């Protein structure tokens, strides 16, 4: 089955850049979506189709996808960006949607 | 404004069933697909299945196929997820989410607020 691996945690100082990776076999051929989840809340779509920002998501959020790694980058990190982040793809081999293991972003 | 409103928390005994509802507003329900995803405490997200609202076509994850039924009522813009033969490991927050396009690679947006299901004897 297809597995998406993320680092458990990323720590970043305010105003700096946080990069969250999502590793999967040849993930570059898939469309990757990213969700932000704050404590007690439902996930929120922040990046779709590798690098597109939905309406209302700040330009500070960007994404890329190449080779075996997709990435979510948060520039000029703010305290309000503290959350768990999940990547997401469709696995055509197993006919199911797969989510990454999740990364907790902590703003120092 | 697109919104999905889910039913409230449930406490169930092992071996019984639970049915969670998800009512859509602010978008064209019948042209979307509704997803069901669960999250156990402190863990990642796990896809359960989906229903294509217009056709009623369903897809289920292999791990849930024997125990889950997803339905919809187009007259009330509501989708349902019923999980049977509950066990303690099914204790989780269950989310519904919209998938506003037909493609399998489409993102999930919006999400319901979640429904806590607790399975305990």
């Amino acid at each position: 089955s297809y597995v998406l691996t993320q680092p458990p945690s990323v720590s970043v100082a305010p105003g700096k850049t946080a990069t969250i990776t999502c590793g999967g076999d040849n993930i570059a051929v898939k469309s990757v979506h990213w969700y932000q989840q704050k404590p007690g809340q439902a996930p929120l779509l922040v990046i779709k189709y590798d690098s597109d920002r939905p309406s209302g998501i700040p330009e500070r959020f960007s994404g890329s996808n190449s080779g075996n790694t997709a990435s979510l980058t948060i520039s000029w990190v703010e305290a309000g960006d503290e959350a768990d982040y999940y990547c997401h793809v469709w696995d055509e081999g197993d006919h199911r949607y797969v989510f990454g293991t999740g990364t907790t972003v902590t703003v120092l | 404004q697109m919104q999905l409103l889910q039913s409230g928390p449930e406490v169930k005994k092992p071996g019984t069933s639970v049915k969670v509802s998800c009512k859509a507003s602010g978008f064209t329900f019948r042209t979307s697909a509704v997803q069901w995803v669960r999250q156990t405490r402190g863990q990642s997200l796990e896809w359960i299945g989906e229903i294509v609202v217009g056709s009623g076509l369903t897809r289920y994850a292999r791990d849930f196929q024997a125990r889950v039924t997803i339905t919809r009522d187009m007259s009330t813009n509501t989708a349902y997820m019923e999980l049977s033969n509950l066990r303690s490991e099914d204790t989780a927050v269950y989310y519904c989410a919209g998938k506003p396009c037909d493609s399998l690679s489409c993102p999930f947006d919006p999400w319901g607020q979640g429904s806590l299901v607790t399975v305990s004897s």
Side-chain angles (χ1 to χ4, degrees):
Chain A
S1 61
Y2 197 78
V3 176
L4 294 174
T5 302
Q6 299 179 232
S9 62
V10 167
S11 298
V12 58
K16 300 298 186 183
T17 297
T19 299
I20 304 161
T21 58
C22 174
D25 184 38
N26 201 22
I27 196 173
V29 303
K30 300 180 182 298
S31 292
V32 180
H33 314 299
W34 290 90
Y35 303 88
Q36 174 193 70
Q37 186 180 34
K38 296 183 178 179
Q41 296 184 20
L44 172 71
L45 180 68
V46 293
I47 290 290
K48 57 182 179 175
Y49 300 110
D50 299 341
S51 59
D52 290 345
R53 271 179 298 104
S55 173
I57 301 301
E59 291 184 15
R60 302 184 297 102
F61 287 83
S62 61
S64 63
N65 187 10
S66 177
N68 294 316
T69 304
S71 297
L72 172 69
T73 299
I74 311 172
S75 304
W76 299 103
V77 166
E78 303 173 354
D81 299 331
E82 276 207 339
D84 293 331
Y85 292 84
Y86 297 94
C87 53
H88 169 223
V89 302
W90 167 253
D91 171 22
E92 61 272 9
D94 239 356
H95 300 283
R96 67 182 182 124
Y97 289 100
V98 179
F99 291 90
T101 48
T103 299
T104 298
V105 169
T106 301
V107 181
L108 301 171
Chain B
Q1 180 184 356
M2 299 187 298
Q3 194 171 2
L4 295 171
L5 187 62
Q6 298 184 224
S7 48
E10 302 259 15
V11 179
K12 294 291 183 178
K13 293 196 181 302
T16 64
S17 299
V18 67
K19 191 170 187 176
V20 182
S21 68
C22 171
K23 183 174 177 61
S25 62
F27 64 99
T28 309
F29 182 63
R30 62 180 57 239
T31 61
S32 67
V34 176
Q35 313 296 310
W36 289 92
V37 176
R38 79 178 185 182
Q39 186 171 39
T40 52
R41 189 175 180 85
Q43 298 299 310
S44 183
L45 302 160
E46 184 177 24
W47 182 69
I48 298 170
E50 71 170 353
I51 186 164
V52 180
V53 173
S55 66
L57 172 73
T58 53
R59 291 188 185 89
Y60 300 128
R62 190 176 304 169
D63 288 351
F64 295 96
Q65 193 149 14
R67 298 194 294 139
V68 71
T69 303
I70 297 174
T71 56
R72 90 298 193 214
D73 181 345
M74 289 195 285
S75 69
T76 59
N77 284 1
T78 304
Y80 301 90
M81 187 281 302
E82 184 170 22
L83 188 63
S84 63
N85 195 19
L86 291 168
R87 31 205 190 235
S88 58
E89 309 90 89
D90 293 318
T91 294
V93 177
Y94 289 77
Y95 293 101
C96 64
K99 194 181 79 171
C101 58
D102 285 341
S103 167
L104 289 169
S105 62
C106 191
F108 295 177
D109 182 48
W111 292 63
Q113 84 276 20
S115 300
L116 175 62
V117 175
T118 303
V119 183
S120 174
S121 55

